[in-house]
Amino acid sequence: MAVKLETIALPTLPEGWTAEKSFKPLGKLSHATQRAIAPVGAHFLAEARRKRHKRTFSEDERIQASEKAKKTEDDDAGEISEPENPMMLQREAKDWKEQDHYAVLGITKYRYKATDDQIKKAHRKKVLKHHPDKRAAVGSTEDDRFFKCIQKATELLLDPVRRRQFDSVDEEANVDAPSKKETKQGNFFKLWRPVFESESRFSKQQPVPQLGSDKSAKEDVDHFYNYWYKDFDSWRSFEYQDEDVPDDSADRDQKRHIEKKNLNARRKKKTEDTKRLRTLVDTALDLDPRIAKFKEAEKKQRNKKKDEREAQAKKDAEEAAKKKEEDERLAKEKEVAGKAEKADSKKAKEAAKTAVKKNKRVVRNAPKDANYFHGAGDAPPDRINNVLNDVDLVLAKVDPDELAELTSKLSIEKDAGKIQAVLGEEVKRLVGAGKLKDGDAKSLCP
């Protein structure tokens, strides 16, 4: 970033200002005093150590640095070190891309789980052992090839991006899936749990659902396999295995060709890895004892529901048959009752008709018994026709109940005048009811 310099002018002195006249001192400096200063804390200890051993500053600093390095080396030596492969020690530094960086630093037991502090500590330990100056001091003829490999491994593993690229293709960190025979002979969860833990390191989404145990609920098992089939998203890129692209831009076509070749190779490896993982999950699902247990439980549940449906269907059929039988019995009883009622109704109607006919005869015979209301001697034919026509007119206007009431009144009367009075009253009632007109059936009225 460029820095811009600006020149600022000092304010001008007042006109007529002079140092001799205008400057007035406010005080005076005291005389110099010599004081003895003693070091404190760590500096006091260092001063005491130098005086005791009669060392200069430079000698003491060199000796302290040497002792600190020795202490660090001794501390690191206290840990169990991984044995170094003699072939690895002969590796050329230029072949760094083919080396196992975790093995170079002696932390293969950690691999992708190693922290930056563990990597730095392993690097320091290896440097103390394989530094060219250190080797030369002990009379070793070993060159600095492996030291360069150590430096390259440390540089790569402390770079998050480059380390992720290496971890993407670190086959040594993979856990091989057990065969079907091994799984059937051993413990499924003990054999397959490390496999899924190893594969889960490639998931973009963390944490990853765990395999669980034989006591896991069906929902948890379904969630586990659904994750690996549908939700698992791998970050593996396989860039580490790319062919090196020339740094110079002399042949741009060649550079673009290699970049395209690398891109296609990554895609192919990504597809193959996805297929590999799908096959692995299929195998685990097929061998998972919980799946067989869940299927058996579902089968029992289906059979139970089937038995319940069949029992309910049988019960419904029995109830339907029973209801049908009861409906048939009730229908038969209803039919019998209907026939009896019909017969009774018919008899009642016939009896009513007979009673009406009988009552009509009584009403018709009543004027006859009263000599058609003529008095002494035989009634003339015109009188007889008029009385009978008027009786029929009255009989046509009364209902059976009114006819029965009229008959009961006429049955107890024998006197012609009273019979005519009864019939006259009936005519008046019918006229009042609007069934006859005024002046109708005059022969029946006294």
Side-chain angles (χ1 to χ4, degrees):
M1 182 177 65
V3 178
K4 184 179 180 181
L5 300 178
E6 293 184 1
T7 303
I8 301 177
L10 294 175
T12 58
L13 295 173
E15 186 178 355
W17 188 92
T18 60
E20 292 77 7
K21 297 180 179 180
S22 302
F23 178 78
K24 296 179 181 180
L26 299 178
K28 295 182 179 180
L29 294 176
S30 62
H31 296 287
T33 304
Q34 185 175 2
R35 299 179 184 275
I37 300 176
V40 296
H43 302 287
F44 173 79
L45 296 175
E47 177 66 16
R49 183 176 62 250
R50 287 191 296 270
K51 287 184 178 181
R52 179 184 178 187
H53 297 288
K54 297 180 180 181
R55 300 173 186 167
T56 62
F57 275 91
S58 59
E59 289 175 343
D60 188 68
E61 287 179 354
R62 178 176 55 79
I63 293 173
Q64 287 299 309
S66 178
E67 291 179 354
K68 184 176 181 181
K70 183 65 170 59
K71 183 177 183 301
T72 302
E73 185 176 354
D74 293 340
D75 291 343
D76 290 342
E79 297 184 358
I80 300 176
S81 301
E82 295 181 359
E84 294 177 338
N85 189 336
M87 297 298 295
M88 181 178 63
L89 299 177
Q90 301 300 320
R91 180 178 293 278
E92 294 289 342
K94 63 180 181 179
D95 298 329
W96 64 270
K97 202 169 186 179
E98 304 299 327
Q99 72 184 16
D100 183 349
H101 302 294
Y102 293 112
V104 169
L105 294 181
I107 52 175
T108 57
K109 62 181 179 181
Y110 302 118
R111 305 203 78 87
Y112 65 92
K113 296 180 181 179
T115 63
D116 287 351
D117 288 340
Q118 290 172 329
I119 294 172
K120 292 175 182 178
K121 190 173 182 179
H123 169 256
R124 183 173 62 249
K125 181 178 178 181
K126 290 292 183 179
V127 166
L128 289 173
K129 183 177 181 181
H130 294 282
H131 193 281
D133 295 340
K134 181 75 172 181
R135 305 299 295 179
V138 297
S140 174
T141 58
E142 178 182 331
D143 57 24
D144 63 348
R145 287 181 298 177
F146 187 63
F147 179 76
K148 292 180 179 179
C149 292
I150 295 172
Q151 297 297 93
K152 197 66 180 180
T154 305
E155 177 187 344
L156 184 142
L157 294 181
L158 289 179
D159 184 331
V161 176
R162 298 176 65 193
R163 180 182 179 182
R164 192 176 182 89
Q165 293 174 358
F166 175 72
D167 288 340
S168 176
V169 297
D170 184 13
E171 299 296 336
E172 297 299 327
N174 293 340
V175 178
D176 295 333
S179 64
K180 292 184 178 180
K181 184 178 180 181
E182 292 173 339
T183 303
K184 291 179 180 179
Q185 292 177 350
N187 185 304
F188 172 83
F189 304 99
K190 186 176 180 180
L191 294 172
W192 281 91
R193 185 175 290 109
V195 176
F196 282 104
E197 287 178 354
S198 174
E199 295 294 338
S200 65
R201 73 185 191 273
F202 297 123
S203 176
K204 292 181 180 179
Q205 178 184 349
Q206 295 290 341
V208 176
Q210 298 301 311
L211 179 62
S213 65
D214 57 344
K215 297 181 181 179
S216 297
K218 184 177 183 301
E219 294 76 12
D220 296 333
V221 177
D222 290 341
H223 175 63
F224 173 79
Y225 284 107
N226 286 337
Y227 174 83
W228 286 100
Y229 277 122
K230 300 178 182 179
D231 301 332
F232 179 78
D233 187 11
S234 175
W235 53 259
R236 298 189 74 179
S237 60
F238 303 96
E239 292 175 276
Y240 191 81
Q241 297 175 341
D242 284 354
E243 180 181 345
D244 291 336
V245 180
D247 293 335
D248 58 342
S249 58
D251 192 348
R252 295 183 179 179
D253 292 338
Q254 177 66 12
K255 184 177 180 180
R256 283 194 293 267
H257 171 72
I258 295 176
E259 290 176 346
K260 184 177 180 181
K261 183 179 178 181
N262 287 337
L263 183 60
N264 291 334
R266 289 183 214 163
R267 290 174 178 171
K268 182 179 179 181
K269 291 173 183 176
K270 187 77 171 180
T271 302
E272 292 174 351
D273 185 65
T274 302
K275 183 178 180 181
R276 175 195 64 81
L277 182 61
R278 179 60 183 261
T279 302
L280 184 147
V281 178
D282 288 342
T283 303
L285 179 65
D286 184 54
L287 297 175
D288 195 330
R290 298 170 299 184
I291 302 301
K293 182 177 68 175
F294 295 150
K295 288 183 178 180
E296 183 65 23
E298 290 175 354
K299 182 179 179 181
K300 289 182 179 179
Q301 187 65 19
R302 288 196 301 270
N303 292 337
K304 181 181 178 181
K305 290 182 179 180
K306 181 181 178 182
D307 294 341
E308 290 176 352
R309 287 196 301 268
E310 291 178 352
Q312 186 63 36
K314 183 178 180 181
K315 182 180 179 181
D316 293 342
E318 291 176 352
E319 291 180 354
K322 186 177 180 181
K323 185 176 183 301
K324 182 179 179 182
E325 183 179 352
E326 181 68 15
D327 291 344
E328 290 177 352
R329 183 184 66 79
L330 294 175
K332 189 174 182 180
E333 290 180 355
K334 185 177 181 180
E335 182 181 1
V336 172
K339 288 181 179 180
E341 184 180 357
K342 188 175 181 181
D344 293 341
S345 178
K346 185 177 180 181
K347 289 180 181 179
K349 288 181 180 179
E350 291 177 353
K353 287 181 180 180
T354 302
V356 169
K357 290 178 179 179
K358 182 179 178 181
N359 291 335
K360 285 183 177 181
R361 283 198 300 270
V362 172
V363 174
R364 287 192 179 99
N365 289 332
K368 181 180 178 182
D369 294 340
N371 195 25
Y372 302 103
F373 314 120
H374 181 64
D378 295 333
D382 292 342
R383 179 67 177 178
I384 295 173
N385 287 334
N386 290 335
V387 171
L388 291 177
N389 288 336
D390 290 340
V391 169
D392 289 338
L393 181 61
V394 171
L395 291 176
K397 299 298 182 180
V398 297
D399 57 31
D401 293 335
E402 293 172 341
L403 177 60
E405 185 179 356
L406 178 61
T407 301
S408 63
K409 291 178 181 180
L410 292 174
S411 299
I412 60 176
E413 301 295 342
K414 300 297 183 182
D415 182 68
K418 290 183 178 181
I419 292 174
Q420 188 176 16
V422 171
L423 291 174
E425 288 294 329
E426 185 64 20
V427 171
K428 288 181 180 180
R429 188 187 70 79
L430 292 174
V431 171
K435 294 182 178 181
L436 290 179
K437 296 179 181 179
D438 191 18
D440 289 343
K442 291 189 296 181
S443 62
L444 301 180
C445 296

